[in-house]
């Protein structure tokens, strides 16, 4: 027979679609703490807040989205992020990315998390001149290069990479 049998569930590779974008919108509305009351009131408040957030995710215009969190989605390629002209925070951590690309139009991005992927080269960031926070922790980077245009960068996380 063939090789060893894996009992681990196979994760399907994903691409970024409008539906996935809408699932990953972070609205930033903090959880409301109920005033005096029991568990039922807290659960009702949580359910109402979840419904409101879901409605916002389905109706918000792409130009109004400021934060997307695509962590742990098995994304293999950065694409289909057009129209997100006011996006400030993008989380693409813990995916299957090998290249940084298709981000040039996200010129208002200030926070980018690409940690825990398989990126081997720093490229595709030159137009992201407003970046203040960039995480590339635990990738396959051998060199830190091509960052001359990132003059606003305050935080750079590049640990756990196989530098040469």
């Amino acid at each position: 027979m063939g090789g060893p049998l894996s009992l681990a569930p196979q994760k399907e590779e994903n691409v970024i679609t409008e539906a996935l974008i809408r699932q990953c919108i972070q609205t930033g509305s903090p959880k409301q703490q109920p005033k005096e009351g029991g568990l039922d009131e807290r659960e009702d408040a949580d359910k109402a807040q979840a419904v409101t957030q879901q409605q916002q995710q389905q109706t918000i215009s792409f130009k109004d989205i400021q934060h997307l969190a695509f962590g742990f989605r098995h994304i293999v390629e950065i694409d289909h992020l057009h129209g997100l002209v006011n996006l400030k925070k993008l989380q693409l951590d813990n995916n299957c990315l090998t290249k940084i690309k298709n981000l040039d139009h996200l010129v208002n991005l200030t926070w980018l998390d690409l940690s825990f992927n398989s990126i081997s080269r720093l490229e595709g960031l030159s137009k992201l001149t407003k970046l203040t926070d960039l995480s590339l922790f635990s990738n396959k980077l051998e060199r830190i290069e091509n960052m001359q245009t990132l003059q606003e960068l305050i935080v750079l996380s590049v640990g756990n990479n196989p530098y040469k």
Side-chain angles (χ1 to χ4, degrees):
M1 287 214 196
L5 178 64
S6 172
L7 297 177
Q10 294 296 319
K11 299 295 182 184
E12 193 171 315
E13 295 178 345
N14 279 325
V15 294
I16 298 172
T17 62
E18 180 178 346
L20 185 58
I21 288 172
R22 293 208 175 276
Q23 286 176 16
C24 295
I25 294 171
Q26 302 297 299
T27 58
S29 40
K31 265 198 174 211
Q32 297 175 351
Q33 295 298 321
K35 295 178 184 165
E36 300 292 321
L39 186 59
D40 290 339
E41 286 181 30
R42 183 176 302 136
E43 287 174 355
D44 289 345
D46 288 349
K47 286 178 188 175
Q49 186 174 357
V51 167
T52 301
Q53 184 173 1
Q54 235 178 0
Q55 289 170 340
Q56 287 175 335
Q57 286 177 324
Q58 295 308 311
T59 59
I60 192 169
S61 169
F62 274 25
K63 69 177 178 55
D64 295 327
I65 297 171
Q66 293 190 8
H67 180 188
L68 288 172
F70 290 109
F72 297 94
R73 299 288 180 148
H74 308 284
I75 294 170
V76 295
E77 185 176 342
I78 303 169
D79 207 358
H80 306 292
L81 296 176
H82 302 289
L84 298 164
V85 295
N86 291 308
L87 192 65
K88 293 182 184 332
K89 188 172 184 178
L90 179 58
Q91 293 173 248
L92 286 160
D93 59 290
N94 294 282
N95 280 293
C96 307
L97 299 170
T98 58
K99 283 185 146 189
I100 304 170
K101 62 182 195 171
N102 299 323
L103 295 175
D104 287 352
H105 64 287
L106 301 176
V107 296
N108 289 310
L109 213 54
T110 59
W111 198 92
L112 179 59
D113 187 352
L114 293 164
S115 55
F116 297 96
N117 279 288
S118 296
I119 297 166
S120 59
R121 250 186 94 137
L122 270 178
E123 57 192 352
L125 299 172
S126 63
K127 301 231 165 117
L128 306 181
T129 58
K130 293 183 181 179
L131 272 183
T132 59
D133 192 309
L134 175 61
S135 181
L136 290 153
F137 186 85
S138 198
N139 273 282
K140 295 182 178 180
L141 295 174
E142 295 181 359
R143 283 193 297 272
I144 303 301
E145 58 188 351
N146 304 323
M147 297 185 56
Q148 300 83 344
T149 61
L150 305 182
Q151 298 295 312
E152 300 294 317
L153 201 59
I154 297 168
V155 177
L156 174 63
S157 175
V158 291
N160 201 29
N161 278 285
Y163 307 113
K164 286 187 177 180

